[in-house]
Amino acid sequence: MADQPRRPRTLNDARTEAEAAFKKTTTKVPEAPPKPATLPGVKELVSLRIDQDVLAYFQEGGPGWQERINEALRKAAGK
């Protein structure tokens, strides 16, 4: 078979190819948003629903009941 004659390149073809090449090299890949840094020892205010008897158990020890709940949750989380 004889080689097919090449079609003459038009200005639109060259421009389209140039634009595609430019777009390919200048398009940024979206990055995942950075995770916020967690600072050790920083407390976060949350609303938590727990049973009254559980709350009473921790409050029986007097002041520091929130820290005791936090410690129990930390232990349950394996930390």
Side-chain angles (χ1 to χ4, degrees):
M1 284 192 168
D3 290 328
Q4 294 285 336
R6 293 187 69 181
R7 181 176 75 152
R9 201 172 223 188
T10 63
L11 182 60
N12 284 342
D13 290 340
R15 182 178 183 162
T16 302
E17 288 179 22
E19 287 176 351
F22 179 78
K23 190 174 191 178
K24 183 179 177 183
T25 58
T26 59
T27 303
K28 292 184 179 180
V29 178
E31 297 177 4
K35 291 184 178 180
T38 56
L39 301 173
V42 174
K43 307 277 187 199
E44 185 171 344
L45 179 64
V46 296
S47 177
L48 179 66
R49 293 181 178 270
I50 55 176
D51 294 333
Q52 287 181 346
D53 59 329
V54 173
L55 181 60
Y57 171 80
F58 283 99
Q59 288 180 335
E60 283 173 0
W65 61 270
Q66 291 172 323
E67 287 81 13
R68 289 190 293 277
I69 290 176
N70 190 46
E71 187 59 35
L73 290 172
R74 185 179 302 280
K75 191 181 293 185
K79 295 186 176 192

